[in-house]
Amino acid sequence: MLKITLLFFLLTASVVHAKDKPWESYAKLPMVEQPQISPNGEMIATLYNTAEGPTISLAKFPSIEFNILASLKKDKDRVDFIRWSGNKYIIVSASYPEYVNGQYMRVSRLYSINVETNESKMLTTRRFSEYKWYRYQSFRLVSSLKNEPDFALVSTFDEKDKAYSVFKVELGDSSFDKIQRNKENIGSWYADPKGVLRLGIAIDKKDDKFIASIWYRAKKDEALKMIHTHILGEDSTFSIQGLNEDGTKAYVLSDRVLNRQALWSYDIESGEFEELVYSNDKYDINNAIVNSEGDFIGVGYYDDFYKSHYFSEVDGKQELMVTNLFGDKQASIVSRSKDRTRILVNVISDSVSPTYYYFDLNTKKGGAWLSKFPYLARNKFVPVQNYSFKASDGAEISGYFTKPEGIKTPPLIVMPHGGPHSRDYKYFNRELQYLVSLGYAVLQVNFRGSEGFGSAFETDGYYQWGKRMQQDVYDAMDWATRTGLTSKNNACIYGASYGGYVALTAAWQEPERFKCIISISGISDLKGLVEDEERQDAYLGNIVDMTDSKAVDALSEVSAINMINRIKAPILLIHGTKDTRVDYRQSKYFYDKAKRNLDIKYVEIDDGTHFFDDPESLKVQYKEVTEFLKKHL
């Protein structure tokens, strides 16, 4: 067992930027992520990133002396979540890229860690490991079984059923006991709070439509029966967040009636919605909040920052108490003990890097626990400005504008977000603040297709890749110029994933607007993306109607790889070879075709993922972007 003591100075330490490497303190992973207090409040488990790779580490509450319980492979593994099962075990879900049929796909595995013995186990059995496709096989946590903390419900592919069956797994010896066969091709399973498997959702493709079928049992030993179906992308959205105590009702996020995501009570047996549980007048409800035992206790949504709504008045008052302690900063509870007496709080703002604080209500003590980015803690950051304007067709578009202090009209970096069904927030963004520290203004745009602003705003982006969504970005630039925030023709566009597509599309659609183009993990061939056979099982209805061959062919007209002769500005492409979202050849083939005629650089990162979630990839990204911008903007 390795012990690491993190001295208090890490909370306020900073490093002086070397003039030749100004990115050094920014191009680092968060020191700690996903801290979770044990139900009894005695321990904190966290993902602790080291130079050697990610670790699962443990500290006594509220100590910062960590015991490293498990280390993952730096070049492969990503921790998706950690969860306590009672006070003895930590369940870890980790994933890694695996090469399948010509491209990388992400495979998920589950581990248990006994915090009393420090023993870790991969949750699997010899029978599975003998499958020839075992290395491609994912394992998913269905329930951590709060009433039986030495066990968990896990779903994985079973050759006998040719589908994802459910097993009761002993966390100490990793023994698997099948409790649910799968004849219905169910992909997602749900248990009630008592751990009884109640519900399954199967998604099947028929006539180029994706149909979700809900299978249910009213009693523990009954057979499942199909009770409801809906068509993805046509019917109202339907996302189950949890079940009530006896498993007769589901809590469902849906955009029915209100045209925005809200939480509804759904009677499973009748297949009917009942009452509205919670909604926001302007924003979509985003996610469920679960406690340390996996109970569904509330929901969250975003305006500029994350907001919580708890079902329990006690939980709500505790969150309000914490929020009031930090004034204009944004404070939210990230974990608490079962009795609510020990709490971890994340404190952040647009210009303050995040720090975790602890509170012990029994001893009436509290204070800073750890900074997420300790080497940035003393840096001064600039505030982020909200803006909104009328687009060229009259629609209301909003976003954020950030500029360095003391420069009236700095050069502009337009930074479209990925997704596209994501959005920008006002939270501290170290990449944005780094660019501002170099003397650039940054324009972020929540263009149509962005999530969180209601279903109509999001669906207005459907079929609009390279079209209306793209125009919203140009309209935002025009607004910034009209208002005097930046000067015309002094801009670079810099995006990742879908944002990389926006950048490459802007390069040929508006060649006079930009001095340079940066695409990270971007898309150059949209038609190639949707025709990729390995992605045909994914829902692509937001890009194109796959039944309309003419519409699919027309995607070539909004693909930069076919428009190279229109591009003028220098281009930087960066892509990881183990990208499981966008194949790295989207950048490689574009570079191969464009290098004869354009000022273009392609940086290929061996073992790099879509999210650049390892230190080496981050350093390469920051270094290359810095040097490229210095040269061209």
Side-chain angles (χ1 to χ4, degrees), residues 131-150:
Y131 293 166
K132 63 182 179 180
W133 56 82
Y134 175 65
R135 69 179 189 176
Y136 312 123
Q137 183 174 354
S138 286
F139 292 73
R140 302 167 184 167
L141 180 66
V142 177
S143 174
S144 54
L145 297 179
K146 67 177 181 179
N147 296 326
E148 297 181 84
D150 290 351

Side-chain angles (χ1 to χ4, degrees), residues 528-542:
L529 179 79
V530 303
E531 289 184 333
D532 187 333
E533 290 183 6
E534 294 303 314
R535 301 185 187 276
Q536 287 302 298
D537 288 337
Y539 176 57
L540 298 173
N542 63 332

